[in-house]
Amino acid sequence: MLAIIAALPEELSAIVEAARGEGEIRTETVAGITLMHATLAGRQVLLARSGVGKVAAAATAAILAERVTGMILVGTAGGLGPNVNPGDVVIATELLQHDLDARPLWDRWVSPVVGVARIPVDAYLTAALAAAAVGACSAHRAELSALGFGEPAVHPGLVISGDLFVATAEGSAQLRAELPDALAVEMEGAAVAQVCAAAGIPFAVARTISDRADHNATVDFPVFLNQVAAPYAHDLVVGALKV
Ligand code: ADE
């Protein structure tokens, strides 16, 4: 059974609604985290709203690790790559905690738990999400254009996570300078990655870009979150489950 995780209710709402249409949802609360046992695209899944940040995401992933055989994390992220714009989808190929620094004991960004800085994703789940992303982009093209976004694109690459909402040009420029191949920044992915890597559970991460992690982020993020994030996350997840 797969787990579907999103940090915010706005990111998970369309998925929960679709699951409700397929049958009863049984909820269970473990350590304050609500798990929803549901059917989605004809498959048994566990839906989980983690809350924001690496600690909340890691706690959720640890609880799920006892219950599922794979995890998919969806939601929004700030674009860092030069042509990674709001409305685009970033499919993580590896994830790194940009605020993890245990030097001089370990090299910068290395997670002592798993021994690497860049945690690789599961190829099969990631290919399913990448295939779904192409469909999700075309399904939302008109809506994105009406909101003033350009033609959406899919980018595979490095996603970085930290306990920071990056909302200044200086903050995103520093991340770009230190990690030039980072495509997107968010607050949960690498935490789920670390728990899954330690537990030997396959996982994948897809993020829709809501902002450019600059001073406009505080305006762009809520607009995207309220208008596009939910249906986008739904199409990515349901599309991937059907692959
Ligand atoms: N999630 C969406 N936008 C983000 C940003 N700018 N920084 C961190 N997480 C985000």
Side-chain angles (χ1 to χ4, degrees):
M1 177 167 63
L2 280 180
I4 312 299
I5 312 167
L8 292 166
E10 292 89 340
E11 294 165 333
L12 202 63
S13 62
I15 292 171
V16 175
E17 218 166 281
R20 215 170 266 138
E22 290 194 41
E24 193 99 335
I25 297 180
R26 183 172 64 81
T27 63
E28 175 193 9
T29 304
V30 185
I33 292 157
T34 304
L35 308 179
M36 290 165 268
H37 296 258
T39 306
L40 190 65
R43 291 172 61 171
Q44 282 301 110
V45 292
L46 251 185
L47 309 178
R49 211 170 53 214
S50 65
V52 171
K54 293 196 304 174
V55 175
T60 304
I63 287 163
L64 291 168
E66 294 290 312
R67 291 166 171 78
V68 301
T69 52
M71 299 188 206
I72 290 177
L73 171 69
V74 289
T76 54
L80 286 179
N83 49 12
V84 178
N85 293 310
D88 289 359
V89 179
V90 169
I91 305 290
T93 54
E94 47 187 14
L95 295 108
L96 169 148
Q97 297 175 58
H98 67 76
D99 57 355
L100 176 50
D101 190 347
R103 289 177 293 181
L105 301 180
W106 285 270
D107 287 346
R108 191 166 184 197
W109 302 307
V110 165
S111 159
V113 173
V114 290
V116 293
R118 292 164 180 254
I119 303 174
V121 297
D122 176 69
Y124 177 80
L125 286 177
T126 298
L129 274 178
V134 175
C137 281
S138 39
H140 294 285
R141 185 168 286 132
E143 180 186 353
L144 290 167
S145 161
L147 287 168
F149 296 117
E151 187 79 3
V154 182
H155 310 271
L158 174 67
V159 171
I160 62 175
S161 314
D163 284 319
L164 283 174
F165 186 79
V166 183
T168 62
E170 299 73 31
S172 46
Q174 189 178 336
L175 290 173
R176 263 194 295 274
E178 291 174 348
L179 294 157
D181 62 332
L183 296 184
V185 60
E186 38 83 307
M187 303 177 69
E188 295 85 21
V192 171
Q194 178 178 307
V195 172
C196 285
I201 293 178
F203 73 96
V205 177
R207 292 289 192 176
T208 52
I209 300 304
S210 54
D211 58 86
R212 279 287 299 170
D214 56 15
H215 47 276
N216 292 324
T218 38
V219 175
D220 295 343
F221 173 71
V223 170
F224 192 92
L225 185 67
N226 292 316
Q227 305 199 24
V228 205
Y232 231 132
H234 168 275
D235 290 5
L236 285 167
V237 167
V238 170
L241 290 177
K242 286 181 175 164
V243 167

